[in-house]
C-alpha cells in the first residue's frame, strides 16, 4: 500500500519557516507571499493534527514537535538536493563537445548530426565551428575534426577519410557556355581560395600560372556559394561540394581529380577519448563515413 505523503509545497513552506522562524523570510526564500506560507503551514498542521508553531500576531515560535519534524525535513531536502546534483553532474558528463573545421561542420557533419541525436537522446551535443588548432583539452573539447597531415602530438588520432579536388561551375555560368576541355579554362574566370589551383592545372596539362589578384575566399562555403551564383569556376574538395553537385546547383567539370595532401582526422584528448559519448560518436561517425563512401562508389 502506497504511503500518503503530505503536500510537498506545504512541507517546503514549513521547513523554510521553521529554519527562519519567520514566515516573511520564508516567503522571500520561496518567492511566495506571507499569506501563502501561513496558509500552507496551517494546512499541514491540520493534516498532522497538531500545531507546529505558536502564534502571537505575526510573530511565530516553533513548537518542540515542529522543531523535530523540521530537522527530519531538512535532512530529507538535503538528500534530495544531493541526488539532484548527482543527476545534473551525470547529465553534464553526457555532454559531447565537438570542434570541427567550418566547411566540414556546415556542409557534411551538421546535416547528419540529427541521426546521432536520435540514436543517443541522452547525449547533449555541442558543435563548435573553428578552423583554429586550439588546445582541445584546455578548452574542454571532447572531439576535434581536423583537416591536415595527422600530426597532433599528445592526442588520440584516428584517420577518417581523404578527399580530392576538381573544378565545378554553375550550369548558368556565362549563359551555359561552359568549358568543354581543361584548356578552355584559360579563357574563363578561376575563383581563388586558400586551396591552390596549380596541382590540378598541372595534372590536367593546362599551362596556366596560379590565379592571382581579385577576391580570395578563405571560407570554402563562400567559394562554393560564389560558384553556384555563376561568378566563375571553382576548385573544390569533393566532400565539401557534394550538396550542390547533387542538387544540380554545380556541375563537375572534366574527369580529372587530384588527391588532397591533407585528410580528415578524428582528434581527441586522452582524458576524453574513452568517454562513453565520445566512443559512441566515433563509432557512429565511422559508420556514416562508410555509408557516404559506399554511395560514391
Amino acid at each position: 500500500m502506497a504511503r500518503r505523503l503530505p503536500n510537498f509545497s506545504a512541507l517546503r513552506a514549513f521547513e523554510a519557516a521553521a529554519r527562519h522562524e519567520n514566515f516573511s523570510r520564508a516567503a522571500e526564500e520561496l518567492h511566495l507571499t506571507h499569506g501563502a506560507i501561513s496558509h500552507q503551514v496551517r494546512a499541514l498542521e491540520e493534516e498532522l493534527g497538531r500545531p507546529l508553531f505558536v502564534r502571537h500576531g505575526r510573530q511565530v515560535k516553533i513548537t518542540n514537535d515542529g522543531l523535530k519534524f523540521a530537522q527530519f525535513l531538512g535532512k530529507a531536502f538535503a538528500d534530495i538536493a544531493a541526488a539532484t546534483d548527482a543527476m545534473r553532474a551525470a547529465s553534464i558528463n553526457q555532454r559531447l563537445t565537438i570542434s570541427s573545421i567550418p566547411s566540414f561542420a556546415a556542409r557534411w557533419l551538421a546535416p547528419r548530426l540529427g541521426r546521432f541525436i536520435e540514436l543517443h537522446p541522452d547525449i547533449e551535443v555541442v558543435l563548435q565551428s573553428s578552423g583554429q588548432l586550439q588546445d582541445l583539452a584546455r578548452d574542454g573539447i571532447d572531439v576535434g575534426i581536423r583537416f591536415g597531415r595527422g600530426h597532433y602530438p599528445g592526442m588520440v588520432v584516428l584517420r577518417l577519410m581523404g578527399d580530392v579536388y576538381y573544378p565545378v561551375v554553375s550550369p548558368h555560368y556565362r549563359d551555359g557556355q561552359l568549358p568543354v576541355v581543361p584548356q578552355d579554362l584559360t579563357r574563363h574566370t578561376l575563383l581563388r581560395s586558400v586551396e591552390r589551383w596549380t596541382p590540378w592545372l598541372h595534372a590536367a596539362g593546362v599551362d596556366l600560372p596560379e590565379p592571382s589578384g581579385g577576391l580570395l575566399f578563405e571560407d570554402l562555403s563562400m567559394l562554393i556559394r560564389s560558384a553556384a551564383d555563376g561568378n566563375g569556376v571553382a576548385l573544390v574538395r569533393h566532400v565539401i561540394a557534394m550538396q550542390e553537385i547533387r542538387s544540380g546547383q554545380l556541375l563537375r567539370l572534366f574527369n580529372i581529380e587530384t588527391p588532397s595532401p591533407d585528410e580528415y582526422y578524428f582528434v581527441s584528448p586522452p582524458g576524453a577519448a574513452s568517454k562513453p559519448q565520445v566512443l559512441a560518436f566515433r563509432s557512429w561517425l565511422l559508420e556514416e563515413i562508410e555509408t557516404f563512401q559506399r554511395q560514391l562508389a
Side-chain angles (χ1 to χ4, degrees):
M1 184 176 176
R3 294 178 180 176
R4 181 170 173 270
L5 297 175
N7 179 278
F8 188 77
S9 297
L11 293 176
R12 287 188 67 209
F14 164 67
E15 191 276 333
R19 197 164 11 93
H20 293 291
E21 210 161 347
N22 184 292
F23 284 10
S24 295
R25 283 201 288 271
E28 289 176 8
E29 177 183 319
L30 299 179
H31 305 290
L32 298 172
T33 64
H34 181 284
I37 295 290
S38 179
H39 175 76
Q40 295 273 28
V41 170
R42 282 198 181 278
L44 182 60
E45 287 175 324
E46 290 176 9
E47 184 167 356
L48 297 175
R50 65 183 65 198
L52 298 171
F53 289 96
V54 176
R55 294 163 176 79
H56 300 286
R58 290 179 70 90
Q59 292 185 337
V60 294
K61 183 173 178 59
I62 194 165
T63 65
N64 287 335
D65 285 342
L67 183 58
K68 291 176 185 177
F69 189 42
Q71 289 170 344
F72 279 117
L73 288 177
K75 183 179 183 306
F77 288 150
D79 289 343
I80 292 171
T84 302
D85 288 343
M87 290 293 287
R88 284 174 177 155
S91 175
I92 292 172
N93 288 339
Q94 284 294 294
R95 177 179 294 171
L96 175 66
T97 304
I98 305 163
S99 169
S100 171
I101 55 173
S103 55
F104 187 82
R107 312 189 70 79
W108 194 95
L109 182 57
R112 292 170 168 82
L113 262 182
R115 293 201 282 268
F116 176 76
I117 293 169
E118 285 181 9
L119 290 171
H120 302 278
D122 56 324
I123 298 177
E124 178 188 7
V125 179
V126 179
L127 178 59
Q128 300 177 1
S129 176
S130 172
Q132 302 299 315
L133 289 174
Q134 70 262 55
D135 186 327
L136 301 182
R138 183 197 64 205
D139 294 342
I141 294 168
D142 299 310
V143 175
I145 306 295
R146 294 291 175 260
F147 189 64
R149 307 296 169 91
H151 184 61
Y152 305 101
M155 296 286 110
V156 177
V157 181
L158 174 69
R159 178 188 176 276
L160 294 174
M161 59 179 164
D163 211 342
V164 295
Y165 292 103
Y166 50 70
V168 295
V169 69
S170 165
H172 308 296
Y173 169 69
R174 292 193 177 178
D175 296 322
Q177 300 298 308
L178 308 182
V180 177
V181 295
Q183 285 69 24
D184 290 346
L185 293 178
T186 59
R187 301 189 301 275
H188 290 270
T189 301
L190 303 187
L191 300 176
R192 300 173 61 223
S193 77
V194 290
E195 312 286 3
R196 289 170 53 82
W197 270 93
T198 300
W200 187 91
L201 291 170
H202 285 170
V206 179
D207 186 19
L208 266 180
E210 182 69 30
S212 60
L215 183 60
L216 175 73
F217 292 97
E218 290 192 356
D219 185 332
L220 295 188
S221 293
M222 294 179 66
L223 169 73
I224 289 170
R225 184 73 267 149
S226 182
D229 288 343
N231 295 325
V233 181
L235 186 71
V236 298
R237 292 205 306 266
H238 175 71
V239 170
I240 304 304
M242 275 303 299
Q243 286 181 12
E244 281 74 13
I245 292 173
R246 282 178 175 167
S247 69
Q249 292 176 272
L250 289 175
L251 298 176
R252 177 175 175 173
L253 293 175
F254 324 122
N255 193 28
I256 301 169
E257 61 187 35
T258 52
S260 168
D262 294 319
E263 297 181 308
Y264 298 95
Y265 288 90
F266 182 103
V267 183
S268 191
S274 60
K275 288 182 178 180
Q277 60 268 42
V278 173
L279 295 175
F281 178 68
R282 186 177 71 181
S283 175
W284 170 83
L285 186 59
L286 290 174
E287 289 179 7
E288 284 288 328
I289 288 172
E290 184 180 345
T291 300
F292 172 70
Q293 293 180 324
R294 195 165 54 241
Q295 290 170 345
L296 301 177

